[in-house]
Amino acid sequence: MTRRKLLIGNWKMFKTATEARAFAADLNTESGAAQASVDLAVCPPFTAISALVEALPESVKVGAQNVYFEEQGAFTGEISPAMLVDAGVTLAIVGHSERRTLFGETDAAVGQKAVAAVKHGLTPVICVGENLAERDANQTAEVVARQTRAAIAGLSAEQVAASVVAYEPVWAIGSGRTPEPGDAEAVIDGIRKVISEDKGSTAADAVRILYGGSVKPENIAAFGAQPNIDGALVGGASLDASSFARMATALAGGN
Ligand code: PEP
């Protein structure tokens, strides 16, 4: 199974709509060649989604950093899948570690969000990853298996095949530290085995699994070269268009 490489930028709570338009203009001049061989997506804050949908070429997808699982209702501050689709969004991050730790997002809620996203045609980008204490206690495989199982429980094998998983060790996010690419590969291979057990080998072979955590232009190729790593989910280094374009080129094998 050949899986196309995928680079997703997660802007977190950075950039206004005006700043997003400037990013798009810069990216359009910088990433042309890479766009042909790597799938690209940017997840801005909700308030910059329309600006990016208008300003980016159709080949660069716009994603959301979060989505709620209800259709509509008295849920102040939340955004529904249908609202995102209407705004031009095609993918949604669910279960980012900052949502889990700062906003109390549970494994069960992540599963509900994945189901709601898929129901509306959004690709869920399911984030899993151990924190430092869990890593030190050798619980990485157990933690990511539990998170993965809960996230995909309500999805069919075909829906899992079309989803994206991002393995993001919490201790690597924004820290400048990364696992060795071979260690990330081993964890991701384990995630694929869990998916195979629960949803079958066809889904496990097809689902794209990314690495995330302090990825930058200088280290992305080493992660992307691992057989089970299909690209990267990138925070800080995705904020600059030139850096994002360099990561796309490196992931495409042009560097
Ligand atoms: C992230 O926000 O998902 C992330 C991986 O952040 P950073 O690349 O800054 O570590």
Side-chain angles (χ1 to χ4, degrees):
M1 159 71 63
T2 314
R3 296 177 297 265
R4 208 171 137 88
K5 297 279 192 223
L6 171 62
L7 173 64
I8 304 178
N10 169 23
W11 283 0
K12 312 191 191 216
M13 200 174 74
F14 291 99
K15 290 196 195 291
T16 62
T18 305
E19 290 164 340
R21 275 185 214 100
F23 173 97
D26 291 346
L27 187 67
N28 289 343
T29 55
E30 301 220 32
S31 71
Q35 279 178 34
S37 48
V38 179
D39 288 342
L40 300 177
V42 179
C43 302
F46 292 129
T47 47
I49 283 173
S50 314
L52 277 193
V53 169
E54 276 169 29
L56 286 172
E58 212 170 309
S59 60
V60 184
K61 302 300 175 199
V62 179
Q65 298 174 19
N66 186 24
V67 59
Y68 199 49
F69 48 77
E70 296 286 358
E71 297 284 324
Q72 60 181 10
F75 304 106
T76 301
E78 294 296 333
I79 302 274
S80 75
M83 291 168 187
L84 294 174
V85 171
D86 182 59
V89 162
T90 59
L91 64 150
I93 297 174
V94 296
H96 190 281
S97 71
E98 286 151 18
R99 300 292 321 168
R100 292 177 188 263
T101 56
L102 299 174
F103 301 100
E105 200 157 300
T106 61
D107 285 347
V110 175
Q112 287 176 284
K113 288 180 177 204
V115 168
V118 165
K119 184 177 166 200
H120 287 270
L122 293 169
T123 302
V125 179
I126 298 162
C127 297
V128 299
E130 82 287 0
N131 63 30
L132 193 56
E134 291 161 341
R135 177 184 186 238
D136 289 345
N138 286 323
Q139 292 171 341
T140 298
E142 186 188 318
V143 168
V144 301
R146 188 201 74 226
Q147 292 174 332
T148 303
R149 290 205 148 99
I152 65 172
L155 303 181
S156 69
E158 293 72 26
Q159 289 168 340
V160 171
S163 299
V164 174
V165 176
Y167 167 54
E168 300 207 302
V170 180
W171 51 270
I173 295 178
S175 66
R177 296 176 58 202
T178 68
E180 290 299 322
D183 291 344
E185 162 68 15
V187 176
I188 288 174
D189 184 47
I191 293 171
R192 232 179 258 292
K193 290 199 169 85
V194 165
I195 293 172
S196 183
E197 281 167 23
D198 285 16
K199 302 290 170 180
S201 60
T202 305
D205 284 348
V207 64
R208 287 190 284 187
I209 310 185
L210 314 181
Y211 166 73
S214 295
V215 170
K216 49 190 179 178
E218 295 74 28
N219 64 15
I220 191 168
F223 288 101
Q226 300 294 322
N228 278 291
I229 301 184
D230 304 315
L233 176 57
V234 185
S238 74
L239 290 167
D240 176 71
S242 157
S243 161
F244 191 74
R246 277 158 58 215
M247 288 188 289
T249 305
L251 197 56
N255 163 6

